[in-house]
Structures are given as C-alpha cells and as structure tokens.
C-alpha cells in the first residue's frame, strides 16, 4: 500500500518564532519519501519564508503549494511542500527567538485545527512541531502544552469530562521507551501525584497502546519514586504503599508489569542494543524528568514524543522550539522525521 493511498498526516507549524517551520522545510527537502502523504497545517507565507531561508547557496527554494483541503495532498507534485492555510496570516513578520502572543496564537490554532480534523476522521494522524508554552499562555490558551490541549479537544468531541479521557506521554527512540505517570507540573506536585489509581491507569494505557503496536502484551518495567526504590521503606514508603499494590492489581488484570525497580538502573535494563533486546519494552516513570532524561541522553535527534490514550494519533519531535538557534539554519530535522514515521506506524495499527 502506498503512502498516498492512506489518509494524509498533518504536520502542525509549531511556534513560528522557533525552529518548527525550518525543520519542516528541511524534512520535506531532505527526506521527501518519508514526508510523502504529509501536509503542513499552518501558514503559507511562514513556510515559504522558511523554505527560502534554508535554500542552499545558488539553489532555488523548495516550492510551497497551497492546497484547499487535506485530501488534495496526494495531488501535489513531488519536490513541493503542501500547505493548508488553517490560520489567519500574521499582521507583521514574526521575529525569531521572541516570545509573543501572536506566535503563540498561530501555534495553538494550528493544533486545534489539526485535532478537530483528526477527530472528524479527515486525517490519519497529527505530527506537532514544537510550540513555546509561554507564548501559548500569552495567546490565552489555558493549557500548559500540546498534551493538555489535545486532551481537552478530545474530551469535548466525545462529550466527556477530562477525567474520562486520561492521557499519558511516551518518549521513545530505537533503544528505549518511557511512559510518564505525570507530565507538566512541579516536582513537588508530581511526587504528590503518585497515587495507586494514577500508576494503575498508566499501566493500563501503556499495556493497551503498546500492545496494539507490538502485536503482543508489552513487558513493562516500573521505576520506583525514591532512591533504591525506597530500600524497603528506609528512603520512602511510596513503593511499598502505592506503586507495588498498583503493579499487583495490574498483574491481576493480565498486564505484564514488574517492579518497582531502582530508578537509577531500570532504564539501563530496558535499553535495547544492536545485539539484544532490552529486558522491558517500556519503563513507567513516576514523573517528567525521571523518564525524559534517559531518552534524551540517548539522542534528542532520534526521540519521539507520543501521546497515549487519545482517540487520535499524535506524535512530535523530542525537543523544544530552540529559540537560541531559530533562523540560523542549524536546526536538525531528524526527530521530526522520526515522529512522522512513528505517526504513520501508529495510524496503520489503528
């Protein structure tokens, strides 16, 4: 089956003051086969400027083609960037590396459009270029990031309260996958968020979502919260009182979960190598940085962020807006390309 015969994948623009438009243009220029069947949900002018900015000396910029609907993606000639205009063009040029409500509005509106299109079944998946959380807040969006915005859109579409659309963040590369119990909150709040229900729900979501991808029940390793996984209660009781009972409940449901394991070694045990598979298919991490640091250490350029639990497929690069290098032409599009590949695989699985 060709990519073109599948529903198209929308790549949202990201914050136009960051590297989003640049890595999108680079991905279409350098890895056209991987981006086949994809289109940009954004602004034609911003994408055209990015394509011109990265054009090699003496070479023409990659053509940008305005499409009228997502289904027109397959009609765009090879060697072009198809763009669907889903936002109002900015009133003034967006300055690179600058936080603004204008850029936050563009980034957020692109995601809202893509979410609604995916929920209507018009597109197969969403790949989101990075947005800036401060700019998003400045634009008036009441969400700290993509995950919470997509959760809210999904809940509204389904007519359910947010509590009935639980989501989790998974970070993945070729060597390691991690799923987080909590996402964007302070460390103090994250520790307080380690609850029996939260851990069990995370195990259920990871089991169901990864099982669909792997075609079998995933082997799930669970990290403890405290050093040495609490050392029998000497360094904290969360493992004994909360995490272990949640694992036992998950195992009673047929989920292949094991732990809690010492957080400083469980990720090494799960890491896959060229000569052998890891001991676990995924590690459940208790909070944001506990799970993201090991994946990012292995290489941000290959990492992919996947939102689990949504009634749509959403992936993104495992990095931010990189305001410090935006507009310089130095941004690496590898993680975006990996996110497209992951989105295509997940959408086929669904």
């Amino acid at each position: 089956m060709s990519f073109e015969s599948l529903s198209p994948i929308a790549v949202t623009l990201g914050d136009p003051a960051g590297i989003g438009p640049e890595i999108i243009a680079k991905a279409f220029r350098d890895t056209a086969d991987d981006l086949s069947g994809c289109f940009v949900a954004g602004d034609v002018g911003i994408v055209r400027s990015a394509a011109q900015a990265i054009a090699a000396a003496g070479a023409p910029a990659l053509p940008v083609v305005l499409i009228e609907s997502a289904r027109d993606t397959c009609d765009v000639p090879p060697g072009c960037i198809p763009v669907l205009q889903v936002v109002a063009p900015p009133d003034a040029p967006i300055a690179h590396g600058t936080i603004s409500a204008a850029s936050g509005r563009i980034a957020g509106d692109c995601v809202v459009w893509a979410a609604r299109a995916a929920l209507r079944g018009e597109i197969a998946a969403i790949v989101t270029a990075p947005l800036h959380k401060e700019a998003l807040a400045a634009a008036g969006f009441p969400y700290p990031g993509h995950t919470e915005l997509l959760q809210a859109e999904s809940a509204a579409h389904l007519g359910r309260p947010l509590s009935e659309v639980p989501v989790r963040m998974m970070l993945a590369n070729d060597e390691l996958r991690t799923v987080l119990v909590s996402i964007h909150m302070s460390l103090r709040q994250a520790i307080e968020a380690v609850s029996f229900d939260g851990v069990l729900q995370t195990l259920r979501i990871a089991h169901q979502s990864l099982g669909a991808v792997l075609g079998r029940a995933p082997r799930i390793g669970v990290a403890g919260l405290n050093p040495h996984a609490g050392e029998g209660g000497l360094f904290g009781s969360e493992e004994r009182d909360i995490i272990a009972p949640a694992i036992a409940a998950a195992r009673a449901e047929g989920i292949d979960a094991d732990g809690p394991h010492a957080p400083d070694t469980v990720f090494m045990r799960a890491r896959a190598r060229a000569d052998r598979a890891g001991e676990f298919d995924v590690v459940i991490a208790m909070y944001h940085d506990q799970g993201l640091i090991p994946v990012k250490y292995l290489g941000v350029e290959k990492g992919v962020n996947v939102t689990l639990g949504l009634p749509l497929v959403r992936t993104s690069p495992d990095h931010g807006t990189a305001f410090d290098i935006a507009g310089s032409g130095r941004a690496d599009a590898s993680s975006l390309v990996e996110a497209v590949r992951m989105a295509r695989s997940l959408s086929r699985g669904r």
Side-chain angles (χ1 to χ4, degrees):
M1 181 180 293
S2 67
F3 294 157
E4 289 79 2
S5 66
L6 301 170
S7 296
I9 292 175
V11 182
T12 62
L13 189 64
D15 192 307
I19 62 171
E22 177 183 332
I23 60 174
I24 290 171
K26 281 188 175 182
F28 275 96
R29 183 193 68 186
D30 301 336
T31 55
D33 288 345
D34 288 302
L35 273 291
S36 178
C38 297
F39 70 95
V40 183
D43 175 73
V44 170
I46 292 172
V47 176
R48 185 168 286 130
S49 295
Q52 292 169 346
I54 65 163
L62 202 64
V64 175
V65 178
L66 177 64
I67 58 176
E68 295 185 0
S69 69
R71 62 178 176 271
D72 295 333
T73 303
C74 62
D75 298 326
V76 175
C80 299
I81 307 176
V83 180
L84 184 61
Q85 186 76 37
V86 302
V87 294
D91 296 329
I94 301 292
H96 287 121
T98 302
I99 299 170
S100 71
S103 60
R105 172 57 57 185
I106 290 170
D109 284 348
C110 289
V111 177
V112 169
W113 180 91
R116 293 175 181 176
L119 291 165
R120 291 192 299 265
E122 297 171 6
I123 57 177
I126 307 170
V127 177
T128 57
L131 55 71
H132 197 285
K133 293 177 175 58
E134 287 185 52
L136 192 70
F141 286 92
Y143 312 106
H146 281 114
T147 303
E148 295 83 0
L149 193 161
L150 292 167
Q151 180 187 27
E153 287 292 328
S154 297
H157 176 81
L158 296 170
R160 300 176 185 172
L162 281 176
S163 61
E164 293 183 12
V165 188
V167 298
R168 293 296 188 271
M169 178 188 291
M170 178 174 78
L171 267 290
N173 57 30
D174 293 340
E175 301 177 73
L176 183 65
R177 301 182 187 97
T178 66
V179 176
L180 314 182
V181 171
S182 64
I183 306 176
H184 297 125
M185 59 181 64
S186 73
L187 181 56
R188 186 180 303 277
Q189 290 174 314
I191 292 170
E192 294 170 352
V194 176
S195 66
F196 174 88
D197 290 340
V199 175
L200 179 57
Q201 190 174 70
T202 306
L203 287 163
R204 288 169 172 163
I205 291 172
H207 171 78
Q208 180 178 9
S209 300
L210 274 178
V213 175
L214 299 174
R216 58 171 173 79
R219 300 163 299 151
I220 304 173
V222 183
L225 173 67
N226 298 297
H228 300 227
E231 197 70 71
L234 292 175
F235 303 148
S237 61
E238 287 85 359
E239 287 79 10
R240 180 189 61 208
D241 298 341
I242 298 171
I243 302 173
I247 294 170
R251 291 181 65 87
E253 297 177 7
I255 296 172
D256 185 2
D258 191 70
H261 297 289
D264 59 352
T265 58
V266 67
F267 300 101
M268 292 186 291
R269 293 169 59 183
R271 183 183 179 186
R273 305 294 182 95
D275 59 337
R276 60 172 175 81
E279 187 175 338
F280 306 111
D281 295 305
V282 63
V283 176
I284 304 302
M286 292 299 115
Y287 56 92
H288 185 278
D289 285 8
Q290 185 189 56
L292 267 61
I293 288 172
V295 177
K296 292 191 175 187
Y297 179 78
L298 293 174
V300 172
E301 70 280 356
K302 290 294 185 180
V304 178
N305 179 357
V306 183
T307 304
L308 305 180
L310 293 172
L312 55 85
V313 173
R314 178 260 171 162
T315 68
S316 74
D318 183 19
H319 58 70
T321 51
F323 274 7
D324 56 325
I325 62 169
S328 69
R330 292 186 286 136
D332 188 339
S334 299
S335 185
L336 178 69
V337 174
E338 292 297 326
V340 170
R341 291 172 178 162
M342 177 73 77
R344 185 169 284 125
S345 175
L346 292 171
S347 63
R348 283 173 170 166
R350 292 167 72 94

